[in-house]
Amino acid sequence: MPNRTEELDRLVDKIINSPHGTEASKTLEEIENNQSYILNVQLKKLVRLHDDSFKNKCVSPVTYMLEKYTPYMGHTEALQKEAELVDRDLRIIEMTYQLIKKNRNSK
């Protein structure tokens, strides 16, 4: 007489290797197929959608600004030098005006 453990192992093996589908095996197969579909199709679509959304909201505006304002980047140094020259010229004019005014008052 087989003992209970052997009989239980035989029954489990019969259920696992059964050629007939049970509700549980059909549900498990459906879950596996859904998981495969989710990983191979839906997840790839979601990643692509996220990438497109990120690109449109973040990358494209930054690229546009970079392309738009890069030509002006070199001009900032020249603009700074021009401002310094204008400032120097204004100081010279102010000093000259003050000297003229001082000489005129002293006469």
Side-chain angles (χ1 to χ4, degrees):
M1 178 178 204
N3 77 27
R4 287 188 156 275
T5 307
E6 290 176 2
E7 186 178 347
L8 186 60
D9 287 344
R10 186 181 58 76
L11 288 173
V12 169
D13 187 50
K14 182 179 177 184
I15 291 171
I16 292 173
N17 295 322
S18 173
H20 307 302
T22 63
E23 285 299 317
S25 68
K26 289 177 185 176
T27 302
L28 181 61
E29 183 180 351
E30 185 178 331
I31 290 171
E32 289 171 351
N33 289 338
N34 286 344
Q35 179 185 11
S36 175
Y37 179 77
I38 288 169
L39 289 176
N40 294 330
V41 177
Q42 290 180 329
L43 188 61
K44 288 180 181 178
K45 284 182 181 179
L46 183 62
V47 168
R48 192 170 38 249
L49 179 66
H50 178 267
D51 288 349
D52 290 344
S53 174
F54 177 75
K55 182 180 176 186
N56 291 334
K57 288 183 180 179
C58 299
V59 176
S60 294
V62 170
T63 303
Y64 169 76
M65 288 175 54
L66 181 67
E67 290 172 354
K68 182 177 179 180
Y69 294 110
T70 297
Y72 300 110
M73 295 294 286
H75 298 295
T76 57
E77 293 174 5
L79 185 61
Q80 176 67 32
K81 288 183 181 183
E82 289 292 323
E84 290 171 0
L85 292 174
V86 168
D87 183 57
R88 184 199 66 189
D89 291 346
L90 285 174
R91 288 177 190 261
I92 291 172
I93 291 171
E94 285 176 354
M95 288 174 52
T96 306
Y97 177 75
Q98 288 175 359
L99 287 173
I100 292 171
K101 191 175 178 182
K102 185 178 181 182
N103 285 338
R104 192 180 280 169
N105 288 340
S106 65
K107 287 185 181 180

